[in-house]
Amino acid sequence: MGRIRTKNKEVIELFDEKTGGVVRTIYFRSPKEFDEFVKGFKAMRYPGYGWRYRDKEKKKKKT
């Protein structure tokens, strides 16, 4: 049996604007889900919170 993997299109982090600490990481499977989140986030206007794209981690090379 083969392994089925799903690739997440967008990965974002919710962070506290005062401390800069990450509150939650959210994975979206489709661009439509991501767009709905952005529209909802703008409509709610959470005070003190922001979102940013998550930095892709690079694998460390052994020397």
Side-chain angles (χ1 to χ4, degrees):
M1 285 238 140
R3 193 177 209 185
I4 299 173
R5 301 181 103 194
T6 58
K7 184 176 180 182
N8 296 314
K9 304 268 183 191
E10 301 289 340
V11 181
I12 63 167
E13 296 175 335
L14 290 178
F15 65 94
D16 185 355
E17 291 178 344
K18 285 186 178 180
T19 63
V22 176
V23 177
R24 185 173 181 188
T25 303
I26 303 173
Y27 301 88
F28 296 99
R29 293 186 180 164
S30 71
K32 184 178 178 182
E33 289 178 358
F34 177 71
D35 291 339
E36 289 174 3
F37 167 79
V38 172
K39 287 177 187 175
F41 192 83
K42 286 180 182 178
M44 293 295 215
R45 296 186 181 152
Y46 292 103
Y49 291 96
W51 67 271
R52 62 183 171 225
Y53 290 102
R54 183 176 175 190
D55 293 332
K56 293 184 179 181
E57 298 175 9
K58 295 181 180 179
K59 294 183 179 179
K60 295 181 180 178
K61 294 182 180 179
K62 292 184 180 181
T63 55

